[in-house]
């Protein structure tokens, strides 16, 4: 009996070490690239650390955070980021669902359309941003040429503070909706066909079938997609960096782009760390709220 217990304990220990060996690389990477940078950011946020003058670093207490509260550009970047999130999430979800419904047909050659709609997702955001910069060009861009052919425009697009962020929203939704389309498509194909057949027999219209069968069947997938888009939307940096440089008049300056410029362009790593810390707290609060809403929705 004691021998069997000892053998079982030895086996359990061996399995534990095997499990630890498998998760060790992920834990090490998380520690090196997540935990350590966070601790360093926390420390730097209370200093005047300059990348070019590391030896002159001094502890300044809450000075960076007091300066941050008075920084109009940072406040503008927060507003711009939230505007982007509010606009791009419903647009990208709607486009992804619409394309999924469009290609969820057993038609000859439909795979070509699936590939075409998904193609922008695999392209680099840098390449896509440069491409759309030519499309939005106010002088000889493709979009103004098309609008001019029907007597509309020309528009300044990226050079106008009132339309620059909207242009980036449209580009971002176009580039990312292909990935959401494929997730929605898998969800649509998991909905039993007999539900639609029974609804059709009962006299339900296609729109009623969509409201009462399709949308409820895609509830969990829609929640997942919405959350993933929100997370990625808060990290917006490539599009404004490549297309507008945060302008005009800081109308496309985002939080992550402002942190990048402050830390690496102006070399104010201490002040940039304070920005990053505030941004981390903001994202954490929003994530907790989202989890709360999602949990409550699932319980209902």
């Amino acid at each position: 009996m004691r021998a069997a217990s000892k053998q079982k304990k030895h086996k359990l220990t061996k399995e534990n070490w095997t499990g630890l060996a498998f998760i060790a690389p992920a834990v090490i990477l998380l520690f090196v690239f997540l935990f350590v940078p966070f601790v360093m950011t926390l420390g730097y946020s209370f200093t005047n650390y300059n990348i070019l003058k590391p030896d002159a670093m001094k502890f300044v207490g809450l000075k960076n955070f007091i300066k941050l509260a008075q920084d109009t550009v940072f406040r503008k970047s927060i507003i711009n980021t939230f505007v982007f999130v509010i606009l791009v999430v419903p647009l990208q979800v709607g486009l992804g669902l619409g394309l999924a419904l469009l290609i969820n047909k057993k038609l000859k050659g439909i795979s070509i359309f699936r590939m075409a709609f998904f193609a922008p997702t695999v392209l680099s955001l840098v390449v896509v941003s440069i491409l759309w910069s030519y499309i939005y060009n106010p002088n000889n861009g493709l979009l103004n040429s098309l609008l001019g052919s029907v007597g509309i425009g020309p528009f300044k697009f990226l050079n106008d503070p009132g339309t620059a962020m909207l242009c980036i929203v449209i580009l971002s939704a176009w580039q990312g909706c292909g990935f959401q389309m494929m997730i929605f498509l898998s969800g649509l194909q998991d909905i039993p066909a007999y539900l639609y057949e029974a609804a059709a027999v009962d006299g339900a219209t296609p729109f009623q079938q969509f409201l009462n069968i399709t949308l409820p069947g895609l509830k969990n997938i829609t929640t997942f997609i919405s959350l993933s888009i929100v997370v990625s939307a808060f990290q917006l940096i490539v599009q404004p960096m490549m297309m507008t440089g945060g302008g005009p008049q800081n109308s496309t300056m985002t939080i992550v782009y402002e942190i990048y410029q402050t830390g690496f362009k102006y070399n104010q790593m201490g002040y940039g760390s304070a920005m990053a810390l505030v941004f981390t707290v903001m994202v954490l609060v929003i994530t907790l709220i989202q989890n709360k809403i999602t949990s409550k929705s699932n319980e209902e």
Side-chain angles (χ1 to χ4, degrees):
M1 186 78 175
R2 185 178 298 176
S5 177
K6 187 176 180 180
Q7 185 179 3
K8 183 178 180 181
K9 184 177 180 181
H10 176 73
K11 182 181 180 181
L12 183 62
T13 304
K14 185 178 179 181
E15 290 177 351
N16 289 345
W17 279 109
T18 303
L20 288 173
F22 275 109
I23 67 172
V27 173
I28 293 171
L29 289 174
L30 283 174
F31 180 80
V32 173
F33 293 104
L34 186 64
F35 180 74
V36 172
F38 176 77
V39 173
M40 293 177 66
T41 300
L42 181 62
Y44 287 150
S45 64
F46 297 100
T47 68
N48 64 346
Y49 178 45
N50 188 308
I51 297 179
L52 301 180
K53 302 176 183 178
D55 297 333
M57 182 175 63
K58 295 180 181 179
F59 180 78
V60 295
L62 297 176
K63 185 177 179 180
N64 287 329
F65 296 96
I66 296 173
K67 181 180 177 182
L68 202 58
Q70 302 169 349
D71 192 335
T72 57
V73 177
F74 185 68
R75 288 202 299 267
K76 180 68 174 176
S77 69
I78 293 176
I79 295 172
N80 290 340
T81 302
F82 274 94
V83 168
F84 177 79
V85 172
I86 292 170
L87 292 178
V88 80
V89 172
L91 180 59
Q92 195 163 326
V93 170
L95 284 174
L97 178 57
L99 291 175
L101 291 170
L102 186 63
I103 65 173
N104 188 33
K105 307 289 183 182
K106 295 182 180 179
L107 300 175
K108 187 176 181 180
I110 196 67
S111 58
I112 297 175
F113 290 96
R114 293 178 183 175
M115 183 177 63
F117 293 145
F118 183 75
T121 305
V122 300
L123 295 176
S124 167
L125 262 177
V126 175
V127 174
V128 172
S129 298
I130 294 173
L131 172 65
W132 278 75
S133 294
Y134 288 109
I135 294 175
Y136 286 136
N137 190 295
N139 299 319
N140 53 7
L142 176 63
L143 190 53
N144 263 333
S145 299
L146 293 175
L147 294 174
S149 64
V150 292
I152 304 175
F155 298 99
K156 295 182 179 180
F157 294 118
L158 297 175
N159 296 333
D160 186 349
T163 59
M165 181 56 77
L166 181 59
C167 291
I168 292 178
V169 168
I170 294 171
L171 150 68
S172 302
W174 172 84
Q175 192 271 341
C177 68
F179 180 72
Q180 280 76 41
M181 173 196 72
M182 299 304 294
I183 300 176
F184 273 127
L185 181 61
S186 65
L188 287 172
Q189 293 177 348
D190 284 339
I191 298 176
Y194 67 80
L195 295 177
Y196 294 100
E197 295 170 359
V201 170
D202 291 338
T205 64
F207 183 69
Q208 289 174 329
Q209 294 177 29
F210 174 75
L211 289 179
N212 297 293
I213 299 175
T214 305
L215 287 183
L218 296 175
K219 180 181 178 181
N220 292 334
I221 290 179
T222 303
T223 301
F224 166 75
I225 289 175
S226 300
L227 293 178
S228 63
I229 296 174
V230 168
V231 171
S232 62
F234 271 106
Q235 302 172 21
L236 176 67
I237 181 174
V238 176
Q239 298 93 311
M241 180 187 293
M242 298 303 301
M243 301 176 74
T244 62
Q249 301 175 20
N250 295 318
S251 61
T252 58
M253 180 65 70
T254 62
I255 301 175
V256 178
Y257 190 27
E258 175 67 1
I259 293 171
Y260 166 79
Q261 283 198 321
T262 302
F264 296 99
K265 184 177 180 180
Y266 305 123
N267 304 316
Q268 299 176 11
M269 186 60 71
Y271 189 46
S273 297
M275 290 182 176
L277 192 61
V278 172
F279 175 59
T280 301
V281 173
M282 288 172 50
V283 173
L284 180 61
V285 171
I286 292 170
T287 302
L288 291 175
I289 294 173
Q290 285 181 328
N291 289 338
K292 188 74 174 178
I293 295 173
T294 304
S295 299
K296 187 176 180 180
S297 177
N298 290 336
E299 290 175 0
E300 291 176 353

